[in-house]
């Protein structure tokens, strides 16, 4: 029978059973003749332990490093001194997506050493940290509570179109100013039988035919007709 696919937060309920989990390689280390693998998924971490290097050879040989996506299969064993009180024995690892280069931001340490700019540039990696994701969990819980409360009171949720204000940054503003200067508004200040003096909204003048210059007439002084 195939092993059941579970999340790390569910491991303690499967003591004595073989299970499968998907996640990222958090750390791999050797200690006292044992090899420890910590798998991290979107809900937490779990530790796998082996005395046999062959069990984790694919991770020890450099073919897949930290943050590689793997499938971990093994037997859940109660171990009071292990994180969470359980660990995975007789592990088997299948690499789904190998990562061989060093991550842009190291996230398997207690403290993040990267500066704020690097963290923002590589948020897709940094947001894998549990305490960072907690911000999104809290926001989601708040929105869910509002929705459930209003639903129980008979409210109807709608998705209405939003009116978004136009951008007011320097680039668009400068562009509009340039356009306004290029396409002026003209008014006639003096006329003769067939020609008139015209003054634009930006202050320049034009001597031309009796009809007003078009909006696309450049705002330059000219005597052409």
């Amino acid at each position: 029978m195939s092993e059941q696919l579970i999340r790390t937060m569910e491991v303690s309920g499967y003591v004595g059973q073989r299970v499968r989990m998907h996640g990222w390689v958090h750390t791999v280390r050797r200690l006292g003749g044992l090899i420890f693998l910590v798998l991290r998924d979107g809900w937490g971490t779990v530790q796998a332990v082996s005395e046999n290097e062959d069990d984790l050879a694919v991770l020890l040989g450099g073919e897949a490093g930290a943050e590689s996506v793997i499938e971990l299969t093994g037997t859940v064993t109660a171990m009071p001194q292990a994180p969470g009180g359980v660990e995975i024995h007789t592990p088997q690892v299948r690499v789904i997506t190998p990562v061989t280069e060093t991550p842009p931001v190291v996230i398997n340490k207690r403290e993040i050493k990267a500066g704020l700019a690097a963290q923002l540039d590589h948020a897709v990696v940094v947001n894998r940290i549990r305490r960072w994701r907690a911000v999104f969990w809290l926001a989601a819980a708040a929105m869910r509570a509002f929705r459930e409360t209003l639903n129980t009171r008979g409210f109807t949720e709608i998705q209405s179109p939003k009116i978004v204000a136009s951008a007011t940054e320097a680039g668009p503003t400068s562009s509009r100013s340039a356009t306004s200067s290029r396409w002026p508004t003209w008014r006639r200040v003096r006329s003769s039988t067939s020609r008139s003096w015209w003054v634009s909204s930006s202050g320049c003048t034009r001597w031309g035919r009796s009809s007003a210059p078009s909006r696309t007439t450049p705002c330059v002084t000219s005597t052409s007709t």
Side-chain angles (χ1 to χ4, degrees):
M1 183 177 66
S2 61
E3 297 83 359
Q4 184 171 350
L5 180 62
I6 66 171
R7 297 174 294 181
T8 55
M9 63 183 294
E10 303 169 327
V11 172
S12 58
Y14 290 84
V15 174
Q17 302 180 46
R18 285 188 66 79
V19 298
R20 287 185 301 128
M21 288 168 284
H22 293 163
W24 295 281
V25 174
H26 192 62
T27 59
V28 179
R29 70 183 191 279
R30 300 172 185 267
L31 182 64
L34 298 175
I35 305 170
F36 294 87
L37 160 66
V38 176
L39 174 80
R40 186 188 72 251
D41 64 7
W43 295 270
T45 60
V46 67
Q47 177 177 277
V49 182
S50 178
E51 297 179 349
N52 186 357
E53 289 193 3
D54 293 339
D55 292 340
L56 304 174
V58 67
L59 302 179
L60 298 173
E63 302 174 30
E67 298 307 306
S68 295
V69 180
I70 65 171
E71 177 184 76
L72 173 64
T73 304
T75 302
V76 181
T77 304
M79 192 65 61
Q81 63 269 34
V86 293
E87 61 187 15
I88 305 299
H89 287 184
T90 61
Q92 295 178 346
V93 173
R94 179 175 69 88
V95 177
I96 299 174
T97 304
V99 174
T100 55
E101 65 272 16
T102 302
V105 177
V106 179
I107 63 174
N108 57 6
K109 305 296 183 182
R110 290 185 180 274
E111 296 184 7
I112 304 298
K113 301 295 186 181
L116 179 59
Q119 294 183 38
L120 294 176
D121 288 342
H122 303 286
V124 68
V125 175
V126 176
N127 283 338
R128 298 174 187 175
I129 302 173
R130 185 178 178 86
R131 66 177 180 273
W132 282 54
R133 289 201 311 278
V135 175
F136 300 104
W137 293 338
L138 290 172
M143 292 299 296
R144 183 169 59 251
F146 276 115
R147 180 173 289 109
E148 292 174 353
T149 299
L150 294 175
N151 284 339
T152 59
R153 298 190 178 189
F155 285 77
T156 300
E157 180 178 354
I158 63 171
Q159 303 295 331
S160 62
K162 305 295 188 296
I163 300 176
V164 182
S166 60
T168 56
E169 299 178 25
T173 302
S174 298
S175 177
R176 287 195 295 272
S177 297
T179 302
S180 176
S181 176
R182 183 180 176 186
W183 296 335
T185 300
W186 297 88
R187 63 186 179 88
R188 184 165 52 190
V189 295
R190 191 179 65 179
S191 64
S192 62
T193 304
S194 59
R195 296 192 178 190
S196 300
W197 276 106
W198 297 87
V199 178
S200 75
S201 55
S202 57
C204 61
T205 60
R206 182 180 178 88
W207 172 249
R209 58 172 62 93
S210 297
S211 58
S214 67
R215 287 184 57 81
T216 57
T217 301
C219 185
V220 294
T221 301
S222 173
T223 58
S224 65
T225 58

